[in-house]
Amino acid sequence: MIVVLFLTAAVAGCSKEAGSDDPGAAGSNETVRMTPDRTSVIRNPLSGWVMYLGRSWDENFWTSEGYDAMPTSDGTTVRVSDYATTAYLRTGWSTLETAEGEYVWRDAESRYARMLKSCLDRGLKLALRIVFDGRDQGQNTPLYVVDAGAACYEENGVKTPYMDDPVFQEKYTRFIEALAEDFNDPDKVDFIDAYSPGKWGEAHAVLYKDNANKAAAFDWMTSLYARCFTKVPIFINYHRLVGDPNQNSWVDVVPDDTEPLLESAIAKGYSLRHDAFGMTGYYKDWEKSFAKTWNFKRPILLEGGWITDGTHRYWIDPSGEYREGHPEDVREGEYLLGAEAHVNMMDLRVNNEVDVWFRKSFGRVKDFVQKGGYRLYPDQVSVPSEMSAGSRLTISHRWVNLGWGYCPNNIPQWDYKYRVAFALLDESDAVQALFVDTDSDPSAWINGRPTSYEFKLTLPEIPAGEYTWAVGIVDTSKENAVGIRMALPADRLTDAGWARLTAVSVR
């Protein structure tokens, strides 16, 4: 039977070993110093690259897009999905609910169900944005909503409901509730874009019957997602025109209600993303300042704005940094702005954008693997090498984050579920005793600020014998299984993700 103890530890500036003047103390501690793995792709929640899925997906997607044999600028050939943590689908409401109450993802033979399964089979988690505005994309809202009497704006035969229409809100609420029944699952879903009105679902140029209803409609939608997605992180675009009805231009004037609206969403549990990184006419001083305010309080996700395959004239960017015919300049701009914002995730967009990242800017792909998001490891741990039941133990441990982002253990959907734990492993690497340090908090581990803890406990009754000390970052909501992969060499880790430290004798 596994012994599990939940104990607190004091944060300290340096480690302290058990002293021989303590009659109940264990024997001398052994300090283990560890060298990190700085280069491997490590798949952890809300960290790393996000690859995008196309609406035209079929079984040939991985090969037809070249994703299973992508040449790189360093002369190698790789699988794109091997570099990603998450597969992101942005699609229309009407494609997921073809008729009222008919949800395509629940049909295992449907194209969407097969697409999502193919991602999970590759070890990728899922992410979603559901768009209902169809002005630039086609009929994104199911027509049954229109037939039920929702007031709509019509353009080129496409009907988009007004966000403050009560019929639309009723039908949309039922859809999101159904979506959450299956996708409020952190084992398969990394995040949900949870505020998606307006063109492309990017929360600008939003349609209302009465513009005075902007704040009420914002509160309705953000409250809906926050109520439905309690275990999966939810995100909102941070920009100066969030929810704004302005249809004609991307104005520089920031409406007075922008920050209060965003702050109200954050208070409900939202985290942040921006869809125009690299577009310096859109991602400007206001956005930079807002991101800085929330650094290490909420994770930030990056989506590049310029489409460089001919859709956009990226070389006219106000920065003057992008040369015509050199889309790799745009990738560099996105990377540098992402570093400034301390983003946790960056995007590998479909089609030519992925090609540019791998064929021309693969060095930056690898740089983000090494430096972006969070990358955690214990650089030194001091544990007893000999002990017996009733021994008072002191374990010192220090943690380093090699990434510029942070592990968002503090967001409401995670609720500090990740903690450091120490385990006693038997010869087959099975856990025989486990001790959770409830004062440890990965969200406090910021690049350049190593964090030390002193963990005191009394050893309970366990069978005498030889064990191996191990350390891990466990998910306390999943019976203390390792939940965060540490940045350590594979030969130090067990199959379950524990890092072996040193042998210990229990008398």
Side-chain angles (χ1 to χ4, degrees):
M1 182 176 184
I2 298 174
V3 177
V4 180
L5 293 181
F6 293 87
L7 299 162
T8 59
V11 178
C14 60
S15 63
K16 177 182 177 183
E17 297 186 358
S20 59
D21 58 340
D22 181 353
S28 297
N29 276 26
E30 178 179 349
T31 298
V32 180
R33 293 177 173 83
M34 286 178 274
T35 301
D37 172 354
R38 296 179 178 272
T39 59
S40 298
V41 175
I42 298 176
R43 286 172 167 167
N44 276 322
L46 289 183
S47 186
W49 286 101
V50 179
M51 65 164 295
Y52 282 41
L53 302 169
R55 293 192 185 198
S56 59
W57 184 93
D58 60 24
E59 271 73 11
N60 298 317
F61 170 80
W62 303 100
T63 53
S64 63
E65 295 294 327
Y67 288 178
D68 276 344
M70 177 65 69
T72 71
S73 54
D74 68 3
T76 59
T77 299
V78 301
R79 288 202 325 173
V80 170
S81 58
D82 288 345
Y83 283 80
T85 300
T86 304
Y88 179 87
L89 174 64
R90 180 178 299 160
T91 193
W93 176 11
S94 59
T95 64
L96 296 182
E97 188 180 16
T98 53
E100 188 164 13
E102 295 183 9
Y103 308 116
V104 298
W105 67 84
R106 291 180 178 171
D107 176 2
E109 300 304 316
S110 71
R111 184 168 62 90
Y112 274 90
R114 289 182 281 117
M115 172 179 65
L116 298 179
K117 183 179 183 301
S118 78
C119 297
L120 295 171
D121 288 346
R122 287 172 177 253
L124 300 169
K125 288 190 178 181
L126 308 174
L128 298 172
R129 176 185 294 178
I130 313 301
V131 181
F132 63 86
D133 191 316
R135 283 172 288 171
D136 292 292
Q137 296 181 328
Q139 190 61 48
N140 278 334
T141 295
L143 287 174
Y144 82 81
V145 178
V146 179
D147 294 341
C152 296
Y153 172 89
E154 185 169 354
E155 182 176 271
N156 298 322
V158 174
K159 298 179 179 179
T160 297
Y162 294 104
M163 189 179 170
D164 54 339
D165 179 80
V167 174
F168 161 73
Q169 291 188 357
E170 174 195 350
K171 303 298 186 183
Y172 189 81
T173 294
R174 290 180 185 173
F175 168 71
I176 295 303
E177 288 173 343
L179 190 75
E181 288 177 12
D182 298 307
F183 288 91
N184 186 28
D185 180 357
D187 287 339
K188 67 181 182 182
V189 180
D190 207 12
F191 65 87
I192 299 289
D193 276 354
Y195 182 73
S196 56
K199 291 185 177 181
W200 311 294
E202 293 181 348
H204 61 82
V206 180
L207 296 167
Y208 306 96
K209 288 194 295 186
D210 183 345
N211 290 344
N213 293 332
K214 171 184 173 181
F218 184 95
D219 179 68
W220 160 75
M221 182 169 283
T222 53
S223 295
L224 169 64
Y225 276 94
R227 171 173 62 83
C228 291
F229 288 92
T230 54
K231 298 178 181 178
V232 169
I234 52 178
F235 282 78
I236 189 169
N237 245 303
Y238 65 97
H239 56 68
R240 54 194 179 276
L241 294 180
V242 67
D244 200 77
N246 189 307
Q247 302 294 311
N248 299 315
S249 64
W250 193 267
V251 297
D252 285 333
V253 176
V254 182
D256 292 339
D257 60 353
T258 294
E259 286 198 37
L261 287 175
L262 286 171
E263 288 168 355
S264 73
I266 292 168
K268 295 173 186 175
Y270 275 71
S271 295
L272 302 172
R273 67 173 287 126
H274 197 282
D275 288 7
F277 272 89
M279 284 180 138
T280 63
Y282 297 88
Y283 192 81
K284 301 179 76 170
D285 288 344
W286 185 91
E287 286 75 14
K288 290 181 179 182
S289 177
F290 192 82
K292 187 175 181 180
T293 297
W294 288 99
N295 277 154
F296 314 126
K297 300 174 186 176
R298 287 291 186 269
I300 298 175
L301 309 187
L302 176 157
E303 179 175 291
W306 289 114
I307 306 299
T308 64
D309 64 357
T311 303
H312 292 156
R313 298 170 66 231
Y314 57 86
W315 53 91
I316 68 171
D317 186 88
S319 69
E321 297 295 327
Y322 307 152
R323 299 166 294 169
E324 184 175 1
H326 290 273
E328 67 273 17
D329 292 351
V330 177
R331 304 286 86 88
E332 182 73 5
E334 292 169 357
Y335 179 89
L336 294 176
L337 285 171
E340 180 182 352
H342 298 279
V343 299
N344 268 35
M345 307 191 86
M346 290 181 63
D347 69 317
L348 298 171
R349 298 284 289 277
V350 295
N351 303 323
N352 190 54
E353 309 311 301
V354 179
D355 285 354
V356 175
W357 274 115
F358 283 84
R359 296 176 189 265
K360 294 181 178 291
S361 303
F362 191 51
R364 283 310 198 190
V365 173
K366 294 187 290 185
D367 283 347
F368 186 69
V369 167
Q370 297 176 33
K371 301 173 185 177
Y374 59 89
R375 197 174 182 93
L376 313 176
Y377 81 103
D379 71 336
Q380 62 182 45
V381 180
S382 175
V383 291
S385 56
E386 189 176 279
M387 56 193 183
S388 59
S391 295
R392 291 193 288 276
L393 314 180
T394 299
I395 300 175
S396 300
H397 51 115
R398 187 171 71 181
W399 292 83
V400 173
N401 182 357
L402 299 172
W404 65 47
Y406 89 114
C407 178
N409 199 36
N410 62 313
I411 61 175
Q413 295 83 8
W414 288 7
D415 192 24
Y416 298 95
K417 66 181 181 178
Y418 295 113
R419 302 290 187 183
V420 174
F422 294 89
L424 293 176
L425 308 181
D426 64 18
E427 60 184 7
S428 64
D429 285 337
V431 175
Q432 297 304 313
L434 188 148
F435 315 103
V436 179
D437 178 349
T438 57
D439 273 359
S440 60
D441 176 16
S443 67
W445 306 344
I446 307 304
N447 183 265
R449 306 177 205 166
T451 304
S452 297
Y453 299 89
E454 196 170 77
F455 183 31
K456 295 181 180 292
L457 63 143
T458 299
L459 188 70
E461 290 286 346
I462 62 172
E466 301 301 314
Y467 297 89
T468 298
W469 275 114
V471 65
I473 305 173
V474 300
D475 183 343
T476 58
S477 71
K478 295 183 66 178
E479 299 182 338
N480 299 312
V482 172
I484 300 291
R485 166 74 183 265
M486 295 172 288
L488 292 170
D491 59 4
R492 185 177 278 278
L493 300 175
T494 70
D495 291 343
W498 293 96
R500 304 180 192 90
L501 297 172
T502 189
V504 58
S505 296
V506 177
R507 300 189 297 270

